């Protein structure tokens, strides 16, 4: 009877130890699931923010391309007035039997040519800056598309594969382990 009582006590301790172990495993299982879900939410939020940033970048690229087109047209539109002003200035300096004079008309023509040249120079600087900006935007777009692809892949792996394997608790506290759980 004494041995039976000791055996019964030992079985009771074993059962309580197994229950404590099962509870600890259950707590760890829930903790890991919560961490996975938090990670999935954070990754999804980051992906959504990247997609919003990509949309803004695409709009900026569209605006920049339109701006570059307008600058090229403005530079092209300055060519005709420049040719006319230069032709007038050349004709005025090469007049036969007339001295080269610096009258108000000549000064006005020189000033007009200088203003047009300065205007074209400024437009070309703006065009160059816009083209550099467009190149940076295209690089940003490529980076964002890559990052979004990485986030999509991460979410797919976490939700489909890892969380798919973790649908059920791998152990029944009364029976024992159901199967060996693979790691992600």
């Amino acid at each position: 009877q004494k041995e039976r009582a000791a055996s019964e006590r030992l079985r009771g301790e074993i059962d309580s130890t197994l229950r404590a172990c099962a509870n600890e495993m259950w707590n760890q299982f829930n903790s890991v699931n919560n961490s996975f879900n938090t990670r999935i939410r954070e990754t999804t939020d980051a992906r959504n923010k990247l997609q919003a940033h990509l949309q803004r970048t695409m709009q900026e690229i569209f605006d920049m391309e339109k701006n570059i087109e307008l600058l090229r047209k403005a530079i092209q539109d300055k060519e005709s007035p420049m040719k006319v002003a230069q032709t007038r200035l050349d004709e005025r300096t090469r007049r036969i039997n007339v001295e080269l004079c610096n009258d108000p008309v000549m000064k006005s023509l020189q000033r007009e040519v200088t203003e047009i040249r300065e205007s074209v120079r400024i437009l070309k600087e703006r065009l160059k800056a816009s083209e550099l900006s467009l190149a940076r935007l295209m690089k940003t777009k490529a980076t964002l598309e890559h990052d979004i692809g990485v986030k999509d892949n991460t979410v797919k792996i976490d939700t489909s594969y890892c969380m798919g394997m973790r649908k059920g608790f791998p152990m029944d506290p009364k029976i024992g382990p159901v199967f060996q759980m693979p790691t992600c």
Side-chain angles (χ1 to χ4, degrees):
Q1 285 180 347
K2 186 176 176 184
E3 288 298 320
R4 284 184 184 169
S7 177
E8 187 116 358
R9 190 175 25 83
L10 188 57
R11 275 192 301 238
E13 288 176 15
I14 290 171
D15 280 347
S16 67
T17 303
L18 285 175
R19 280 196 182 87
C21 182
N23 285 336
E24 184 61 31
M25 284 179 59
W26 178 253
N27 291 338
Q28 283 299 322
F29 179 78
N30 286 331
S31 174
V32 170
N33 282 349
N34 289 338
S35 296
F36 256 126
N37 288 327
T38 301
R39 176 189 163 132
I40 290 168
R41 268 194 313 276
E42 289 170 351
T43 305
T44 304
D45 289 345
R47 183 193 59 199
N48 292 341
K49 287 177 184 176
L50 287 172
Q51 286 174 334
H53 189 227
L54 178 63
Q55 289 300 319
R56 286 191 305 271
T57 303
M58 294 293 287
Q59 183 61 44
E60 287 177 24
I61 287 172
F62 176 76
D63 293 343
M64 193 58 65
E65 286 173 343
K66 190 187 273 187
N67 185 34
I68 287 172
E69 185 180 313
L70 290 173
L71 284 170
R72 285 186 178 144
K73 184 171 180 353
I75 290 171
Q76 188 178 15
D77 289 347
K78 293 284 184 185
E79 287 178 10
S80 295
M82 180 65 154
K83 285 179 183 177
V84 169
Q86 283 181 331
T87 303
R88 286 181 182 165
L89 192 60
D90 287 345
E91 289 297 321
R92 197 158 167 79
T93 55
R94 287 191 238 148
R95 289 187 293 183
I96 300 172
N97 297 330
V98 178
E99 280 184 22
L100 185 61
C101 58
N102 235 352
D103 59 352
V105 175
M106 183 73 161
K107 289 179 183 176
S108 172
L109 279 172
Q110 289 171 338
R111 190 171 41 249
E112 182 179 353
V113 167
T114 305
E115 287 173 1
I116 293 173
R117 279 188 184 141
E118 182 64 19
S119 175
V120 168
R121 185 188 64 77
I122 290 170
L123 287 172
K124 284 184 178 179
E125 284 177 3
R126 287 183 184 167
L127 177 63
K128 186 176 180 180
S130 295
E131 287 172 342
L132 287 173
S133 181
L134 179 63
R136 280 192 301 272
L137 285 170
M138 294 301 261
K139 186 177 179 182
T140 301
K141 175 188 167 202
T143 303
L144 286 171
E145 287 173 343
H146 176 265
D147 290 348
I148 288 171
V150 168
K151 296 293 182 197
D152 283 338
N153 193 31
T154 301
V155 169
K156 179 183 173 190
I157 289 170
D158 285 351
T159 55
S160 299
Y161 301 130
C162 292
M163 288 305 287
M165 287 185 239
R166 301 185 64 80
K167 284 190 192 253
F169 186 60
M171 186 183 118
D172 185 351
K174 294 178 184 167
I175 300 171
V178 177
F179 63 90
Q180 180 89 22
M181 212 167 76
T183 58
C184 293

